Amino acid sequence: MASAVIVAAGRGTRMETDQDKMFLEVAGMPVVGHTWKQFDRHPDIDETVIVIRDGGREKFEELARFLELKKPYSLVHGGSERQDSVASGIASVSSSCKIVSIQDGARPCTSPSLISKTILAAIESGAAVASSKVTDAIKIADSRNYISQNVDRTSLWAVQTPQVFDLDIIRKALAVVRRRGITITDDTAACELIGQPVVLVPSSDQNPKVTTPEDLVLVELLLRQ
């Protein structure tokens, strides 16, 4: 059984709006609505767990009714850091769950094929992440914002979501993070701490995350296509 944990508890401070970025409307529904629907309709996903902020339950329940969901779902509250929210979501999956797909709620354009590919890779290897090869030139800057070093981009990848894991592996990895009292920026970093290899699954389609107001324009275009 595969469960999706959709992390939708962030505050979205870079959106320059008082409105929760998850509920900014794009292509006819809230950002997180597109994400949730994509996973709910996916044949490889058996349930969804949505990690929400305090006080957000009513809006998500209303959204669930609007989406006419096909799969079981649950709403759980997140924590102060992303890793805490992920841990909360993982703790709430079904007892029969074997594979967990962790997704940013603000990443609404993830294709069904990418979801399938990351799940298959995680089944085979234990951990997998959607990714894209870095194509821009990368530089290191000094304290004055002058280029101080060129970086060879040959082996550089930008990781996205879904980040998919064997449930026992990600639980073990997050337990190490918690025990060491460190903060990680994504879930694959937890796997590094326990020596768990993570397969990079190339994303052939655009898979942007809504972070700034400008991102909404691109996302609107992609969703309407």
Side-chain angles (χ1 to χ4, degrees), residues 199-211:
V199 176
L200 293 165
V201 179
S203 174
S204 57
D205 300 312
Q206 293 193 67
N207 186 26
K209 182 180 179 182
V210 175
T211 304

Side-chain angles (χ1 to χ4, degrees), residues 98-100 117-130 162-167 169-170 173 187-192 194-201:
K98 302 297 183 184
I99 294 290
V100 60
K117 288 175 183 176
T118 50
I119 289 175
L120 180 60
I123 291 172
E124 293 176 345
S125 65
V129 58
Q163 301 193 2
V164 189
F165 308 91
D166 177 284
L167 182 59
I169 287 173
I170 191 60
D187 311 301
T188 63
C191 286
E192 294 177 31
I194 62 170
Q196 170 64 43
V198 181
V199 176
L200 293 165
V201 179

Side-chain angles (χ1 to χ4, degrees), residues 61-95:
E61 292 285 13
E62 181 180 348
L63 178 59
R65 291 190 291 271
F66 172 79
L67 293 174
E68 299 181 344
L69 300 168
K70 309 298 183 184
K71 309 281 179 63
Y73 76 90
S74 58
L75 303 175
V76 301
H77 289 107
S80 57
E81 301 289 345
R82 186 183 188 281
Q83 65 209 48
D84 303 318
S85 294
V86 170
S88 178
I90 288 174
S92 301
V93 300
S94 168
S95 59

Side-chain angles (χ1 to χ4, degrees), residues 131-136 153-160 201-203:
S131 56
S132 61
K133 200 159 179 47
V134 172
T135 56
D136 291 331
R153 65 177 183 234
T154 305
S155 301
L156 295 181
W157 291 74
V159 297
Q160 308 164 353
V201 179
S203 174

